[in-house]
Amino acid sequence: MKKILVVFMIAFSLSSCEKDQTDASECAIRMKQLFDNELKCTEENAMEVNLYSGKYQNKIVYFPNVMCPVCLGIPPSYGYSCSNEKISFDNFQNVTDIKQVYNSCTKKYLE
């Protein structure tokens, strides 16, 4: 009986461990950590600063951006490549294929 109880306690304690179930790339995880101080959620679907990726001068870049439907926001002026190279945008309109990578309200990777 004691053995069954010990096995049950071990199984319970292991099942309560949190595991990172993300399918995010290593680069996305590193970029989230790099911009962690800037990523925030004030109100879901109203005022969020999330992590995005885009293509700029044939490089994939990561940058935080404000998602606020009623705000007049300033677009990002720089981003980072996966090799931690800081890339300044001469014009944010030249950043294409923009995708949300991490949502600061849901705390989920979307890539």
Side-chain angles (χ1 to χ4, degrees), residues 28-42 47-53 62-67 78 100-109:
I29 293 168
R30 281 190 295 111
M31 292 297 116
K32 190 263 181 194
Q33 291 170 343
L34 178 70
F35 290 110
D36 206 36
N37 290 334
E38 297 175 52
L39 304 176
K40 57 185 108 186
C41 177
T42 303
M47 181 58 188
E48 306 173 16
V49 181
N50 299 315
L51 180 64
Y52 293 84
S53 70
Y62 291 80
F63 51 89
N65 201 2
V66 176
M67 194 291 292
Y78 68 93
Q100 190 177 107
V101 174
Y102 179 81
N103 184 291
S104 59
C105 290
T106 63
K107 308 274 191 238
K108 291 185 180 178
Y109 289 91

PDB file of all heavy atoms in Angstrom, residues 28-42 47-53 62-67 78 100-109:
ATOM      1  N   ALA A  28      12.802  33.371 -32.028  1.00  0.00           N
ATOM      2  CA  ALA A  28      11.643  34.095 -31.490  1.00  0.00           C
ATOM      3  C   ALA A  28      11.712  34.162 -29.964  1.00  0.00           C
ATOM      4  O   ALA A  28      11.407  35.199 -29.369  1.00  0.00           O
ATOM      5  CB  ALA A  28      10.349  33.417 -31.935  1.00  0.00           C
ATOM      6  N   ILE A  29      12.138  33.094 -29.338  1.00  0.00           N
ATOM      7  CA  ILE A  29      12.248  33.068 -27.876  1.00  0.00           C
ATOM      8  C   ILE A  29      13.327  34.050 -27.414  1.00  0.00           C
ATOM      9  O   ILE A  29      13.127  34.808 -26.467  1.00  0.00           O
ATOM     10  CB  ILE A  29      12.525  31.631 -27.381  1.00  0.00           C
ATOM     11  CG1 ILE A  29      11.298  30.755 -27.651  1.00  0.00           C
ATOM     12  CG2 ILE A  29      12.884  31.621 -25.902  1.00  0.00           C
ATOM     13  CD1 ILE A  29      11.540  29.270 -27.479  1.00  0.00           C
ATOM     14  N   ARG A  30      14.461  34.061 -28.112  1.00  0.00           N
ATOM     15  CA  ARG A  30      15.535  35.000 -27.750  1.00  0.00           C
ATOM     16  C   ARG A  30      15.099  36.453 -27.965  1.00  0.00           C
ATOM     17  O   ARG A  30      15.399  37.322 -27.155  1.00  0.00           O
ATOM     18  CB  ARG A  30      16.801  34.725 -28.565  1.00  0.00           C
ATOM     19  CG  ARG A  30      17.607  33.566 -28.043  1.00  0.00           C
ATOM     20  CD  ARG A  30      18.977  33.437 -28.698  1.00  0.00           C
ATOM     21  NE  ARG A  30      18.900  33.116 -30.117  1.00  0.00           N
ATOM     22  CZ  ARG A  30      19.244  33.945 -31.110  1.00  0.00           C
ATOM     23  NH1 ARG A  30      19.722  35.133 -30.856  1.00  0.00           N
ATOM     24  NH2 ARG A  30      19.138  33.565 -32.370  1.00  0.00           N
ATOM     25  N   MET A  31      14.370  36.718 -29.050  1.00  0.00           N
ATOM     26  CA  MET A  31      13.920  38.081 -29.321  1.00  0.00           C
ATOM     27  C   MET A  31      12.882  38.526 -28.294  1.00  0.00           C
ATOM     28  O   MET A  31      12.873  39.677 -27.859  1.00  0.00           O
ATOM     29  CB  MET A  31      13.345  38.196 -30.739  1.00  0.00           C
ATOM     30  CG  MET A  31      14.368  38.044 -31.830  1.00  0.00           C
ATOM     31  SD  MET A  31      15.625  39.331 -31.818  1.00  0.00           S
ATOM     32  CE  MET A  31      17.088  38.365 -31.458  1.00  0.00           C
ATOM     33  N   LYS A  32      12.033  37.610 -27.856  1.00  0.00           N
ATOM     34  CA  LYS A  32      11.065  37.941 -26.799  1.00  0.00           C
ATOM     35  C   LYS A  32      11.810  38.324 -25.529  1.00  0.00           C
ATOM     36  O   LYS A  32      11.464  39.282 -24.850  1.00  0.00           O
ATOM     37  CB  LYS A  32      10.129  36.757 -26.565  1.00  0.00           C
ATOM     38  CG  LYS A  32       8.940  37.074 -25.666  1.00  0.00           C
ATOM     39  CD  LYS A  32       9.240  36.641 -24.266  1.00  0.00           C
ATOM     40  CE  LYS A  32       8.090  36.902 -23.335  1.00  0.00           C
ATOM     41  NZ  LYS A  32       8.503  36.788 -21.933  1.00  0.00           N
ATOM     42  N   GLN A  33      12.870  37.594 -25.221  1.00  0.00           N
ATOM     43  CA  GLN A  33      13.668  37.909 -24.032  1.00  0.00           C
ATOM     44  C   GLN A  33      14.379  39.252 -24.199  1.00  0.00           C
ATOM     45  O   GLN A  33      14.469  40.031 -23.252  1.00  0.00           O
ATOM     46  CB  GLN A  33      14.688  36.798 -23.764  1.00  0.00           C
ATOM     47  CG  GLN A  33      14.051  35.505 -23.320  1.00  0.00           C
ATOM     48  CD  GLN A  33      15.022  34.339 -23.282  1.00  0.00           C
ATOM     49  OE1 GLN A  33      16.099  34.387 -23.863  1.00  0.00           O
ATOM     50  NE2 GLN A  33      14.624  33.267 -22.610  1.00  0.00           N
ATOM     51  N   LEU A  34      14.870  39.527 -25.399  1.00  0.00           N
ATOM     52  CA  LEU A  34      15.566  40.781 -25.667  1.00  0.00           C
ATOM     53  C   LEU A  34      14.647  41.986 -25.447  1.00  0.00           C
ATOM     54  O   LEU A  34      15.042  42.988 -24.864  1.00  0.00           O
ATOM     55  CB  LEU A  34      16.109  40.785 -27.101  1.00  0.00           C
ATOM     56  CG  LEU A  34      16.818  42.054 -27.557  1.00  0.00           C
ATOM     57  CD1 LEU A  34      18.160  42.208 -26.832  1.00  0.00           C
ATOM     58  CD2 LEU A  34      17.034  42.017 -29.055  1.00  0.00           C
ATOM     59  N   PHE A  35      13.408  41.886 -25.901  1.00  0.00           N
ATOM     60  CA  PHE A  35      12.460  42.994 -25.812  1.00  0.00           C
ATOM     61  C   PHE A  35      11.503  42.881 -24.624  1.00  0.00           C
ATOM     62  O   PHE A  35      10.526  43.624 -24.533  1.00  0.00           O
ATOM     63  CB  PHE A  35      11.637  43.094 -27.102  1.00  0.00           C
ATOM     64  CG  PHE A  35      12.415  43.550 -28.298  1.00  0.00           C
ATOM     65  CD1 PHE A  35      12.690  42.680 -29.338  1.00  0.00           C
ATOM     66  CD2 PHE A  35      12.871  44.853 -28.385  1.00  0.00           C
ATOM     67  CE1 PHE A  35      13.397  43.111 -30.449  1.00  0.00           C
ATOM     68  CE2 PHE A  35      13.583  45.294 -29.491  1.00  0.00           C
ATOM     69  CZ  PHE A  35      13.844  44.418 -30.528  1.00  0.00           C
ATOM     70  N   ASP A  36      11.765  41.971 -23.718  1.00  0.00           N
ATOM     71  CA  ASP A  36      10.828  41.676 -22.629  1.00  0.00           C
ATOM     72  C   ASP A  36      10.394  42.910 -21.838  1.00  0.00           C
ATOM     73  O   ASP A  36       9.237  43.003 -21.433  1.00  0.00           O
ATOM     74  CB  ASP A  36      11.430  40.626 -21.699  1.00  0.00           C
ATOM     75  CG  ASP A  36      10.363  39.829 -20.978  1.00  0.00           C
ATOM     76  OD1 ASP A  36       9.308  39.560 -21.588  1.00  0.00           O
ATOM     77  OD2 ASP A  36      10.580  39.476 -19.812  1.00  0.00           O
ATOM     78  N   ASN A  37      11.287  43.858 -21.619  1.00  0.00           N
ATOM     79  CA  ASN A  37      10.927  45.060 -20.849  1.00  0.00           C
ATOM     80  C   ASN A  37       9.949  45.965 -21.588  1.00  0.00           C
ATOM     81  O   ASN A  37       9.263  46.772 -20.971  1.00  0.00           O
ATOM     82  CB  ASN A  37      12.173  45.862 -20.474  1.00  0.00           C
ATOM     83  CG  ASN A  37      13.010  45.148 -19.435  1.00  0.00           C
ATOM     84  OD1 ASN A  37      12.506  44.354 -18.656  1.00  0.00           O
ATOM     85  ND2 ASN A  37      14.295  45.424 -19.434  1.00  0.00           N
ATOM     86  N   GLU A  38       9.887  45.848 -22.914  1.00  0.00           N
ATOM     87  CA  GLU A  38       8.999  46.691 -23.706  1.00  0.00           C
ATOM     88  C   GLU A  38       7.643  46.039 -23.968  1.00  0.00           C
ATOM     89  O   GLU A  38       6.667  46.740 -24.244  1.00  0.00           O
ATOM     90  CB  GLU A  38       9.669  47.035 -25.040  1.00  0.00           C
ATOM     91  CG  GLU A  38      10.943  47.833 -24.868  1.00  0.00           C
ATOM     92  CD  GLU A  38      11.651  48.065 -26.192  1.00  0.00           C
ATOM     93  OE1 GLU A  38      10.999  48.542 -27.131  1.00  0.00           O
ATOM     94  OE2 GLU A  38      12.853  47.751 -26.267  1.00  0.00           O
ATOM     95  N   LEU A  39       7.578  44.727 -23.916  1.00  0.00           N
ATOM     96  CA  LEU A  39       6.339  44.010 -24.214  1.00  0.00           C
ATOM     97  C   LEU A  39       5.406  44.093 -23.015  1.00  0.00           C
ATOM     98  O   LEU A  39       5.782  43.718 -21.916  1.00  0.00           O
ATOM     99  CB  LEU A  39       6.641  42.556 -24.565  1.00  0.00           C
ATOM    100  CG  LEU A  39       7.620  42.345 -25.724  1.00  0.00           C
ATOM    101  CD1 LEU A  39       7.914  40.866 -25.901  1.00  0.00           C
ATOM    102  CD2 LEU A  39       7.095  42.953 -27.001  1.00  0.00           C
ATOM    103  N   LYS A  40       4.197  44.597 -23.253  1.00  0.00           N
ATOM    104  CA  LYS A  40       3.251  44.722 -22.136  1.00  0.00           C
ATOM    105  C   LYS A  40       1.819  44.714 -22.630  1.00  0.00           C
ATOM    106  O   LYS A  40       1.536  45.007 -23.782  1.00  0.00           O
ATOM    107  CB  LYS A  40       3.538  45.970 -21.318  1.00  0.00           C
ATOM    108  CG  LYS A  40       3.521  47.260 -22.084  1.00  0.00           C
ATOM    109  CD  LYS A  40       3.923  48.429 -21.216  1.00  0.00           C
ATOM    110  CE  LYS A  40       5.292  48.866 -21.657  1.00  0.00           C
ATOM    111  NZ  LYS A  40       5.947  49.854 -20.942  1.00  0.00           N
ATOM    112  N   CYS A  41       0.943  44.402 -21.732  1.00  0.00           N
ATOM    113  CA  CYS A  41      -0.488  44.365 -22.027  1.00  0.00           C
ATOM    114  C   CYS A  41      -1.201  45.247 -21.017  1.00  0.00           C
ATOM    115  O   CYS A  41      -1.262  44.919 -19.835  1.00  0.00           O
ATOM    116  CB  CYS A  41      -0.999  42.931 -21.940  1.00  0.00           C
ATOM    117  SG  CYS A  41      -2.782  42.809 -22.202  1.00  0.00           S
ATOM    118  N   THR A  42      -1.721  46.363 -21.486  1.00  0.00           N
ATOM    119  CA  THR A  42      -2.507  47.237 -20.622  1.00  0.00           C
ATOM    120  C   THR A  42      -3.971  46.806 -20.654  1.00  0.00           C
ATOM    121  O   THR A  42      -4.619  46.693 -19.622  1.00  0.00           O
ATOM    122  CB  THR A  42      -2.377  48.696 -21.074  1.00  0.00           C
ATOM    123  OG1 THR A  42      -0.988  49.040 -21.079  1.00  0.00           O
ATOM    124  CG2 THR A  42      -3.126  49.634 -20.154  1.00  0.00           C
ATOM    125  N   MET A  47      -4.835  48.015 -25.984  1.00  0.00           N
ATOM    126  CA  MET A  47      -3.514  48.622 -25.790  1.00  0.00           C
ATOM    127  C   MET A  47      -2.528  47.532 -25.434  1.00  0.00           C
ATOM    128  O   MET A  47      -2.439  47.093 -24.295  1.00  0.00           O
ATOM    129  CB  MET A  47      -3.578  49.692 -24.693  1.00  0.00           C
ATOM    130  CG  MET A  47      -2.268  50.375 -24.442  1.00  0.00           C
ATOM    131  SD  MET A  47      -1.667  51.150 -25.938  1.00  0.00           S
ATOM    132  CE  MET A  47      -0.052  51.634 -25.413  1.00  0.00           C
ATOM    133  N   GLU A  48      -1.802  47.082 -26.447  1.00  0.00           N
ATOM    134  CA  GLU A  48      -0.822  46.015 -26.278  1.00  0.00           C
ATOM    135  C   GLU A  48       0.473  46.416 -26.972  1.00  0.00           C
ATOM    136  O   GLU A  48       0.448  47.101 -27.982  1.00  0.00           O
ATOM    137  CB  GLU A  48      -1.300  44.714 -26.939  1.00  0.00           C
ATOM    138  CG  GLU A  48      -2.646  44.229 -26.505  1.00  0.00           C
ATOM    139  CD  GLU A  48      -3.130  43.028 -27.325  1.00  0.00           C
ATOM    140  OE1 GLU A  48      -2.314  42.386 -28.024  1.00  0.00           O
ATOM    141  OE2 GLU A  48      -4.320  42.740 -27.267  1.00  0.00           O
ATOM    142  N   VAL A  49       1.581  45.973 -26.434  1.00  0.00           N
ATOM    143  CA  VAL A  49       2.866  46.058 -27.134  1.00  0.00           C
ATOM    144  C   VAL A  49       3.316  44.617 -27.318  1.00  0.00           C
ATOM    145  O   VAL A  49       3.625  43.926 -26.348  1.00  0.00           O
ATOM    146  CB  VAL A  49       3.919  46.876 -26.355  1.00  0.00           C
ATOM    147  CG1 VAL A  49       5.217  46.948 -27.147  1.00  0.00           C
ATOM    148  CG2 VAL A  49       3.409  48.267 -26.033  1.00  0.00           C
ATOM    149  N   ASN A  50       3.305  44.173 -28.572  1.00  0.00           N
ATOM    150  CA  ASN A  50       3.606  42.789 -28.899  1.00  0.00           C
ATOM    151  C   ASN A  50       4.881  42.695 -29.729  1.00  0.00           C
ATOM    152  O   ASN A  50       5.365  43.700 -30.263  1.00  0.00           O
ATOM    153  CB  ASN A  50       2.439  42.167 -29.678  1.00  0.00           C
ATOM    154  CG  ASN A  50       1.162  42.164 -28.876  1.00  0.00           C
ATOM    155  OD1 ASN A  50       1.162  41.818 -27.697  1.00  0.00           O
ATOM    156  ND2 ASN A  50       0.057  42.555 -29.490  1.00  0.00           N
ATOM    157  N   LEU A  51       5.393  41.493 -29.875  1.00  0.00           N
ATOM    158  CA  LEU A  51       6.584  41.247 -30.682  1.00  0.00           C
ATOM    159  C   LEU A  51       6.160  40.836 -32.082  1.00  0.00           C
ATOM    160  O   LEU A  51       5.290  39.980 -32.243  1.00  0.00           O
ATOM    161  CB  LEU A  51       7.433  40.134 -30.043  1.00  0.00           C
ATOM    162  CG  LEU A  51       8.714  39.764 -30.776  1.00  0.00           C
ATOM    163  CD1 LEU A  51       9.694  40.940 -30.789  1.00  0.00           C
ATOM    164  CD2 LEU A  51       9.363  38.553 -30.124  1.00  0.00           C
ATOM    165  N   TYR A  52       6.777  41.464 -33.074  1.00  0.00           N
ATOM    166  CA  TYR A  52       6.488  41.190 -34.478  1.00  0.00           C
ATOM    167  C   TYR A  52       7.772  40.851 -35.216  1.00  0.00           C
ATOM    168  O   TYR A  52       8.866  41.204 -34.774  1.00  0.00           O
ATOM    169  CB  TYR A  52       5.843  42.412 -35.139  1.00  0.00           C
ATOM    170  CG  TYR A  52       4.479  42.734 -34.608  1.00  0.00           C
ATOM    171  CD1 TYR A  52       4.322  43.483 -33.456  1.00  0.00           C
ATOM    172  CD2 TYR A  52       3.335  42.271 -35.249  1.00  0.00           C
ATOM    173  CE1 TYR A  52       3.062  43.773 -32.959  1.00  0.00           C
ATOM    174  CE2 TYR A  52       2.072  42.558 -34.754  1.00  0.00           C
ATOM    175  CZ  TYR A  52       1.942  43.311 -33.618  1.00  0.00           C
ATOM    176  OH  TYR A  52       0.700  43.588 -33.112  1.00  0.00           O
ATOM    177  N   SER A  53       7.604  40.211 -36.358  1.00  0.00           N
ATOM    178  CA  SER A  53       8.725  40.008 -37.272  1.00  0.00           C
ATOM    179  C   SER A  53       8.314  40.547 -38.625  1.00  0.00           C
ATOM    180  O   SER A  53       7.125  40.677 -38.935  1.00  0.00           O
ATOM    181  CB  SER A  53       9.105  38.527 -37.380  1.00  0.00           C
ATOM    182  OG  SER A  53       8.101  37.803 -38.067  1.00  0.00           O
ATOM    183  N   TYR A  62      13.072  41.444 -36.008  1.00  0.00           N
ATOM    184  CA  TYR A  62      12.098  41.362 -34.919  1.00  0.00           C
ATOM    185  C   TYR A  62      12.041  42.712 -34.223  1.00  0.00           C
ATOM    186  O   TYR A  62      13.077  43.351 -34.018  1.00  0.00           O
ATOM    187  CB  TYR A  62      12.504  40.274 -33.919  1.00  0.00           C
ATOM    188  CG  TYR A  62      12.383  38.884 -34.480  1.00  0.00           C
ATOM    189  CD1 TYR A  62      13.365  38.357 -35.312  1.00  0.00           C
ATOM    190  CD2 TYR A  62      11.275  38.097 -34.192  1.00  0.00           C
ATOM    191  CE1 TYR A  62      13.252  37.084 -35.836  1.00  0.00           C
ATOM    192  CE2 TYR A  62      11.159  36.813 -34.709  1.00  0.00           C
ATOM    193  CZ  TYR A  62      12.140  36.318 -35.534  1.00  0.00           C
ATOM    194  OH  TYR A  62      12.010  35.060 -36.057  1.00  0.00           O
ATOM    195  N   PHE A  63      10.837  43.133 -33.853  1.00  0.00           N
ATOM    196  CA  PHE A  63      10.661  44.445 -33.229  1.00  0.00           C
ATOM    197  C   PHE A  63       9.364  44.470 -32.426  1.00  0.00           C
ATOM    198  O   PHE A  63       8.412  43.778 -32.758  1.00  0.00           O
ATOM    199  CB  PHE A  63      10.623  45.540 -34.306  1.00  0.00           C
ATOM    200  CG  PHE A  63       9.645  45.256 -35.421  1.00  0.00           C
ATOM    201  CD1 PHE A  63       8.324  45.683 -35.328  1.00  0.00           C
ATOM    202  CD2 PHE A  63      10.034  44.543 -36.534  1.00  0.00           C
ATOM    203  CE1 PHE A  63       7.420  45.408 -36.344  1.00  0.00           C
ATOM    204  CE2 PHE A  63       9.147  44.257 -37.556  1.00  0.00           C
ATOM    205  CZ  PHE A  63       7.828  44.692 -37.460  1.00  0.00           C
ATOM    206  N   PRO A  64       9.334  45.266 -31.362  1.00  0.00           N
ATOM    207  CA  PRO A  64       8.078  45.455 -30.628  1.00  0.00           C
ATOM    208  C   PRO A  64       7.249  46.516 -31.346  1.00  0.00           C
ATOM    209  O   PRO A  64       7.799  47.436 -31.961  1.00  0.00           O
ATOM    210  CB  PRO A  64       8.540  45.944 -29.257  1.00  0.00           C
ATOM    211  CG  PRO A  64       9.837  46.622 -29.529  1.00  0.00           C
ATOM    212  CD  PRO A  64      10.460  45.911 -30.693  1.00  0.00           C
ATOM    213  N   ASN A  65       5.945  46.389 -31.287  1.00  0.00           N
ATOM    214  CA  ASN A  65       5.076  47.378 -31.914  1.00  0.00           C
ATOM    215  C   ASN A  65       3.797  47.502 -31.094  1.00  0.00           C
ATOM    216  O   ASN A  65       3.312  46.517 -30.536  1.00  0.00           O
ATOM    217  CB  ASN A  65       4.749  46.990 -33.355  1.00  0.00           C
ATOM    218  CG  ASN A  65       4.305  48.173 -34.187  1.00  0.00           C
ATOM    219  OD1 ASN A  65       4.266  49.316 -33.717  1.00  0.00           O
ATOM    220  ND2 ASN A  65       3.957  47.918 -35.432  1.00  0.00           N
ATOM    221  N   VAL A  66       3.274  48.699 -31.045  1.00  0.00           N
ATOM    222  CA  VAL A  66       2.058  48.991 -30.289  1.00  0.00           C
ATOM    223  C   VAL A  66       0.847  48.588 -31.118  1.00  0.00           C
ATOM    224  O   VAL A  66       0.744  48.927 -32.295  1.00  0.00           O
ATOM    225  CB  VAL A  66       1.979  50.494 -29.940  1.00  0.00           C
ATOM    226  CG1 VAL A  66       0.667  50.818 -29.239  1.00  0.00           C
ATOM    227  CG2 VAL A  66       3.164  50.902 -29.093  1.00  0.00           C
ATOM    228  N   MET A  67      -0.062  47.850 -30.501  1.00  0.00           N
ATOM    229  CA  MET A  67      -1.330  47.509 -31.113  1.00  0.00           C
ATOM    230  C   MET A  67      -2.388  48.284 -30.329  1.00  0.00           C
ATOM    231  O   MET A  67      -2.720  47.933 -29.198  1.00  0.00           O
ATOM    232  CB  MET A  67      -1.576  46.002 -31.041  1.00  0.00           C
ATOM    233  CG  MET A  67      -2.713  45.489 -31.934  1.00  0.00           C
ATOM    234  SD  MET A  67      -4.392  45.945 -31.520  1.00  0.00           S
ATOM    235  CE  MET A  67      -4.662  45.063 -30.013  1.00  0.00           C
ATOM    236  N   TYR A  78      13.694  50.595 -35.344  1.00  0.00           N
ATOM    237  CA  TYR A  78      14.744  49.583 -35.462  1.00  0.00           C
ATOM    238  C   TYR A  78      14.197  48.216 -35.074  1.00  0.00           C
ATOM    239  O   TYR A  78      13.124  48.089 -34.497  1.00  0.00           O
ATOM    240  CB  TYR A  78      15.950  49.921 -34.585  1.00  0.00           C
ATOM    241  CG  TYR A  78      15.654  49.818 -33.102  1.00  0.00           C
ATOM    242  CD1 TYR A  78      15.902  48.635 -32.421  1.00  0.00           C
ATOM    243  CD2 TYR A  78      15.099  50.874 -32.395  1.00  0.00           C
ATOM    244  CE1 TYR A  78      15.608  48.524 -31.069  1.00  0.00           C
ATOM    245  CE2 TYR A  78      14.806  50.777 -31.057  1.00  0.00           C
ATOM    246  CZ  TYR A  78      15.069  49.596 -30.400  1.00  0.00           C
ATOM    247  OH  TYR A  78      14.761  49.486 -29.060  1.00  0.00           O
ATOM    248  N   GLN A 100       2.747  38.879 -36.305  1.00  0.00           N
ATOM    249  CA  GLN A 100       2.878  38.870 -34.846  1.00  0.00           C
ATOM    250  C   GLN A 100       3.550  37.566 -34.430  1.00  0.00           C
ATOM    251  O   GLN A 100       3.170  36.490 -34.874  1.00  0.00           O
ATOM    252  CB  GLN A 100       1.508  38.999 -34.176  1.00  0.00           C
ATOM    253  CG  GLN A 100       1.616  39.242 -32.683  1.00  0.00           C
ATOM    254  CD  GLN A 100       0.262  39.451 -32.037  1.00  0.00           C
ATOM    255  OE1 GLN A 100      -0.198  38.569 -31.340  1.00  0.00           O
ATOM    256  NE2 GLN A 100      -0.357  40.589 -32.278  1.00  0.00           N
ATOM    257  N   VAL A 101       4.556  37.696 -33.571  1.00  0.00           N
ATOM    258  CA  VAL A 101       5.322  36.544 -33.111  1.00  0.00           C
ATOM    259  C   VAL A 101       4.921  36.169 -31.689  1.00  0.00           C
ATOM    260  O   VAL A 101       4.804  34.995 -31.359  1.00  0.00           O
ATOM    261  CB  VAL A 101       6.840  36.855 -33.167  1.00  0.00           C
ATOM    262  CG1 VAL A 101       7.662  35.737 -32.554  1.00  0.00           C
ATOM    263  CG2 VAL A 101       7.269  37.118 -34.598  1.00  0.00           C
ATOM    264  N   TYR A 102       4.708  37.173 -30.840  1.00  0.00           N
ATOM    265  CA  TYR A 102       4.375  36.929 -29.433  1.00  0.00           C
ATOM    266  C   TYR A 102       3.341  37.957 -28.996  1.00  0.00           C
ATOM    267  O   TYR A 102       3.496  39.153 -29.240  1.00  0.00           O
ATOM    268  CB  TYR A 102       5.623  37.052 -28.555  1.00  0.00           C
ATOM    269  CG  TYR A 102       5.342  36.841 -27.085  1.00  0.00           C
ATOM    270  CD1 TYR A 102       5.235  35.564 -26.564  1.00  0.00           C
ATOM    271  CD2 TYR A 102       5.191  37.923 -26.234  1.00  0.00           C
ATOM    272  CE1 TYR A 102       4.964  35.369 -25.214  1.00  0.00           C
ATOM    273  CE2 TYR A 102       4.923  37.730 -24.882  1.00  0.00           C
ATOM    274  CZ  TYR A 102       4.813  36.454 -24.385  1.00  0.00           C
ATOM    275  OH  TYR A 102       4.550  36.268 -23.053  1.00  0.00           O
ATOM    276  N   ASN A 103       2.276  37.477 -28.364  1.00  0.00           N
ATOM    277  CA  ASN A 103       1.226  38.360 -27.861  1.00  0.00           C
ATOM    278  C   ASN A 103       1.418  38.529 -26.356  1.00  0.00           C
ATOM    279  O   ASN A 103       1.414  37.549 -25.606  1.00  0.00           O
ATOM    280  CB  ASN A 103      -0.153  37.771 -28.160  1.00  0.00           C
ATOM    281  CG  ASN A 103      -1.260  38.704 -27.749  1.00  0.00           C
ATOM    282  OD1 ASN A 103      -1.491  38.928 -26.564  1.00  0.00           O
ATOM    283  ND2 ASN A 103      -1.943  39.259 -28.738  1.00  0.00           N
ATOM    284  N   SER A 104       1.600  39.762 -25.925  1.00  0.00           N
ATOM    285  CA  SER A 104       1.894  40.029 -24.515  1.00  0.00           C
ATOM    286  C   SER A 104       0.669  39.865 -23.611  1.00  0.00           C
ATOM    287  O   SER A 104       0.826  39.722 -22.403  1.00  0.00           O
ATOM    288  CB  SER A 104       2.494  41.424 -24.354  1.00  0.00           C
ATOM    289  OG  SER A 104       1.605  42.391 -24.836  1.00  0.00           O
ATOM    290  N   CYS A 105      -0.534  39.879 -24.165  1.00  0.00           N
ATOM    291  CA  CYS A 105      -1.730  39.671 -23.337  1.00  0.00           C
ATOM    292  C   CYS A 105      -2.009  38.190 -23.119  1.00  0.00           C
ATOM    293  O   CYS A 105      -2.304  37.774 -22.002  1.00  0.00           O
ATOM    294  CB  CYS A 105      -2.937  40.348 -23.972  1.00  0.00           C
ATOM    295  SG  CYS A 105      -2.874  42.149 -23.905  1.00  0.00           S
ATOM    296  N   THR A 106      -1.918  37.409 -24.182  1.00  0.00           N
ATOM    297  CA  THR A 106      -2.194  35.978 -24.047  1.00  0.00           C
ATOM    298  C   THR A 106      -0.960  35.199 -23.612  1.00  0.00           C
ATOM    299  O   THR A 106      -1.063  34.036 -23.243  1.00  0.00           O
ATOM    300  CB  THR A 106      -2.690  35.395 -25.379  1.00  0.00           C
ATOM    301  OG1 THR A 106      -1.648  35.520 -26.367  1.00  0.00           O
ATOM    302  CG2 THR A 106      -3.965  36.076 -25.844  1.00  0.00           C
ATOM    303  N   LYS A 107       0.205  35.850 -23.678  1.00  0.00           N
ATOM    304  CA  LYS A 107       1.487  35.228 -23.308  1.00  0.00           C
ATOM    305  C   LYS A 107       1.773  34.004 -24.184  1.00  0.00           C
ATOM    306  O   LYS A 107       2.319  33.006 -23.742  1.00  0.00           O
ATOM    307  CB  LYS A 107       1.515  34.804 -21.842  1.00  0.00           C
ATOM    308  CG  LYS A 107       1.134  35.899 -20.877  1.00  0.00           C
ATOM    309  CD  LYS A 107       2.333  36.724 -20.529  1.00  0.00           C
ATOM    310  CE  LYS A 107       2.010  37.642 -19.362  1.00  0.00           C
ATOM    311  NZ  LYS A 107       2.193  39.024 -19.655  1.00  0.00           N
ATOM    312  N   LYS A 108       1.403  34.115 -25.490  1.00  0.00           N
ATOM    313  CA  LYS A 108       1.592  32.995 -26.412  1.00  0.00           C
ATOM    314  C   LYS A 108       2.385  33.425 -27.637  1.00  0.00           C
ATOM    315  O   LYS A 108       2.235  34.549 -28.122  1.00  0.00           O
ATOM    316  CB  LYS A 108       0.246  32.432 -26.856  1.00  0.00           C
ATOM    317  CG  LYS A 108      -0.501  31.741 -25.749  1.00  0.00           C
ATOM    318  CD  LYS A 108      -1.763  31.098 -26.267  1.00  0.00           C
ATOM    319  CE  LYS A 108      -2.483  30.405 -25.113  1.00  0.00           C
ATOM    320  NZ  LYS A 108      -3.727  29.801 -25.545  1.00  0.00           N
ATOM    321  N   TYR A 109       3.198  32.480 -28.106  1.00  0.00           N
ATOM    322  CA  TYR A 109       3.904  32.656 -29.373  1.00  0.00           C
ATOM    323  C   TYR A 109       2.940  32.279 -30.494  1.00  0.00           C
ATOM    324  O   TYR A 109       2.173  31.327 -30.363  1.00  0.00           O
ATOM    325  CB  TYR A 109       5.137  31.758 -29.437  1.00  0.00           C
ATOM    326  CG  TYR A 109       6.242  32.209 -28.512  1.00  0.00           C
ATOM    327  CD1 TYR A 109       6.315  31.709 -27.222  1.00  0.00           C
ATOM    328  CD2 TYR A 109       7.189  33.121 -28.933  1.00  0.00           C
ATOM    329  CE1 TYR A 109       7.333  32.118 -26.368  1.00  0.00           C
ATOM    330  CE2 TYR A 109       8.204  33.543 -28.089  1.00  0.00           C
ATOM    331  CZ  TYR A 109       8.276  33.047 -26.802  1.00  0.00           C
ATOM    332  OH  TYR A 109       9.258  33.452 -25.969  1.00  0.00           O
TER     333      TYR A 109
END
